[in-house]
Amino acid sequence: MRPGEERSVEGGLCDSRSEVELLELLKLRAAERIDEAAERLGALSHAIWSEPELAYEEHRAHDVLTRFFEREPPAASWVVQPHYQLPTAFRAEWEPPGPRGPAAAPRALHLGFLCEYDALPDIGHACGHNLIAEAGAGAALGLRGALEGLPGPPPPVKIIVLGTPAEEDGGGKIDLIEAGAFKDFDVVFMAHPSQENAAYLLDVAEHDVTVKYYGKASHAAAYPWEGVNALDAAVLAYNNLSVLRHQMKPTWRVHGIIKNGGVKPNIIPSYSELLYYFRAPSMKELQVLTKKAEDCFRAAALATGCTVEIKGGAHDYYNVLPNKSLWKAYMENGKKLGIEFISEDAMLNGPSGSTDFGNVTFVVPGIHPYFYIGSNALNHTEKYTEAAGSQDAQFYTLRVAKALAMTALDIIFKPELLERIREEFKLKLQEEQFLNAVE
């Protein structure tokens, strides 16, 4: 099997039996390589889990991960860039050794594995980001091990591990997109802990907003008529949005809190503040929902005589674009490893959240499967923190790392699969009316 070689295909498989057998042997080698690194990968995960750090503050996790790749044998085989574009992001690259070939040779295929490692306030790694980092690192090691085991010259491939901080708050992947970190990727892989195995979930678009009302303080008993009650504006806004729910689509979500409602009962509040999240299945729908919600905020200001300030968050999280060709390949590999997936109907109609990986899928084709970790605890709970640090989670995390590495091998050695993935990516961008913006 020669680098860059184009092959005719039948039924989506390589055209020769020997090539099919070789691909399966490479997948087996990838799995074996991950098993060989299991102890190191488990230690990596536990080091991140045991000292949780919040968004943009993941300095220890960054150092643990960069040292992991710097020390992977043989020495200096991974080119590691600490503090890549962000203080707690990193990039580690591996290419097969040897001559790079003539200038006219095909460009190396760039496959990216993403690691998250930020935690939640107070409850630590209750979303299992330590396991995301472990799965990404493990998949990269497995793919490298498979390519090193080729009997002949390896195909032109570059494996890139990208450490992406601040998923829980801020959107580190969006910062990295804006810095150009994803411009050379062909396909990206990541896997997220959950209560079930799903090749895809309908992660939705999200916009957050801070709303501030400014009124006028006054004595609440002696001369309340002199005041302009900012708390009243906040309560009206909250109620306006509650009424709006009757006309909201079933797939829309609005949730918020009143962060500031005054200082003492006998002082008319001159200031109040709310924080809201809006979610919808697409960016187009999210814009409609956001406009309706902002009208509710402004109506409350008008009714109370307050002034209002509405400020959106630094980044919107986009919905994750599905790529059926990619997640079907992942499911085929996962089933070989014993993964039992939920149905496609459950994938497309079940509950979901939001992630900055969605923004990545508007820039490069990607897969973001979910995986069971041996516990029925729910994400963002103390029990899930415990599960994410348990030994039981290791088997499931390493298994999903194997499935990601095996899928990457399919992409490398099945050019027709890569072409289908790229075509689906362009089609989804057209459906979202984002193609021109991305290109």
Side-chain angles (χ1 to χ4, degrees):
M1 204 173 307
R2 302 185 182 281
E5 180 179 279
E6 293 290 333
R7 295 181 295 274
S8 62
V9 296
E10 292 182 5
L13 297 175
C14 303
D15 67 343
S16 104
R17 186 177 184 85
S18 61
E19 288 175 340
V20 174
E21 291 172 349
L22 176 57
L23 179 54
E24 292 306 312
L25 286 173
L26 291 174
K27 291 180 179 181
L28 178 61
R29 177 56 186 145
E32 290 172 345
R33 180 68 179 86
I34 291 169
D35 285 334
E36 291 165 6
E39 186 175 344
R40 297 197 305 279
L41 290 166
L44 170 72
S45 176
H46 188 266
I48 296 170
W49 178 86
S50 61
E51 294 193 32
E53 299 165 298
L54 301 182
Y56 297 112
E57 299 174 8
E58 314 95 328
H59 300 286
R60 184 173 183 277
H62 165 277
D63 293 346
V64 167
L65 280 157
T66 52
R67 282 198 302 270
F68 178 87
F69 284 100
E70 287 167 350
R71 296 174 180 177
E72 266 299 293
S77 56
W78 288 88
V79 178
V80 181
Q81 298 179 63
H83 315 297
Y84 178 71
Q85 304 294 351
L86 294 172
T88 56
F90 73 91
R91 182 175 175 129
E93 299 180 359
W94 178 86
E95 287 185 276
R100 294 290 182 263
R107 169 190 171 275
L109 187 64
H110 290 191
L111 301 179
F113 297 91
L114 306 190
C115 297
E116 292 179 4
Y117 34 89
D118 61 323
L120 290 159
D122 301 326
I123 55 176
H125 280 287
C127 212
H129 288 193
N130 59 302
L131 302 177
I132 295 176
E134 179 182 1
L141 295 188
L143 179 58
R144 171 190 163 182
L147 295 177
E148 287 178 328
L150 277 170
V157 175
K158 179 182 285 188
I159 302 172
I160 304 168
V161 181
L162 194 62
T164 61
E167 189 276 337
E168 294 290 356
D169 185 21
K173 294 181 191 65
I174 307 170
D175 295 322
L176 290 169
I177 289 169
E178 293 174 349
F182 287 91
K183 65 183 179 182
D184 58 347
F185 283 70
D186 290 290
V187 182
V188 293
F189 303 82
M190 192 188 116
H192 197 295
S194 181
Q195 300 78 44
E196 58 201 2
N197 295 303
Y200 172 79
L201 287 180
L202 194 65
D203 286 307
V204 297
E206 185 268 340
H207 172 75
D208 61 77
V209 63
T210 299
V211 182
K212 298 178 180 181
Y213 289 105
Y214 299 94
K216 179 184 176 184
S218 183
H219 196 292
Y223 27 85
W225 54 86
E226 294 292 336
V228 178
N229 197 316
L231 178 57
D232 282 350
V235 171
L236 276 178
Y238 189 95
N239 289 334
N240 288 348
L241 287 166
S242 295
V243 173
L244 176 65
R245 294 180 197 278
H246 293 286
Q247 276 70 51
M248 281 172 38
K249 292 184 177 182
T251 52
W252 293 359
R253 294 290 183 271
V254 171
H255 33 271
I257 59 170
I258 298 176
K259 291 184 65 176
N260 190 314
V263 291
K264 285 189 71 177
N266 63 348
I267 304 173
I268 299 291
S270 62
Y271 174 78
S272 65
E273 182 177 337
L274 304 94
L275 176 62
Y276 265 86
Y277 291 177
F278 310 133
R279 303 181 198 254
S282 69
M283 289 301 296
K284 290 183 290 184
E285 289 191 46
L286 183 62
Q287 292 168 4
V288 175
L289 173 58
T290 299
K291 171 63 168 58
K292 291 178 180 290
E294 290 182 350
D295 287 345
C296 290
F297 296 137
R298 293 190 177 93
L302 179 64
T304 58
C306 292
T307 57
V308 61
E309 177 185 312
I310 303 172
K311 184 177 181 180
H315 299 305
D316 288 344
Y317 282 16
Y318 292 4
N319 48 298
V320 175
L321 295 182
N323 194 299
K324 188 170 286 191
S325 294
L326 185 50
W327 57 253
K328 280 191 171 182
Y330 171 79
M331 288 182 71
E332 289 175 5
N333 288 302
K335 288 176 180 177
K336 293 176 184 177
L337 296 166
I339 298 178
E340 297 181 359
F341 292 96
I342 62 173
S343 68
E344 184 171 340
D345 181 69
M347 285 195 299
L348 300 177
N349 295 287
S352 62
S354 304
T355 169
D356 57 358
F357 188 87
N359 300 63
V360 176
T361 65
F362 279 70
V363 177
V364 56
I367 186 169
H368 183 274
Y370 287 83
F371 64 100
Y372 174 72
I373 65 168
S375 171
N376 292 322
L378 299 177
N379 295 60
H380 291 214
T381 66
E382 291 88 347
K383 287 187 179 296
Y384 208 83
T385 302
E386 182 181 346
S390 71
Q391 186 59 37
D392 288 347
Q394 287 302 296
F395 167 79
Y396 301 100
T397 304
L398 296 178
R399 184 170 67 170
V400 81
K402 295 171 186 176
L404 292 176
M406 291 162 68
T407 305
L409 286 166
D410 282 331
I411 291 170
I412 294 169
F413 292 100
K414 296 180 179 179
E416 76 286 354
L417 173 59
L418 178 59
E419 185 59 30
R420 290 200 306 271
I421 289 168
R422 286 171 169 165
E423 287 302 315
E424 271 194 59
F425 171 65
K426 292 179 181 178
L427 180 61
K428 290 299 177 183
L429 288 180
Q430 289 172 345
E431 292 175 359
E432 294 278 341
Q433 299 177 0
F434 262 79
L435 185 60
N436 292 336
V438 173
E439 290 187 339

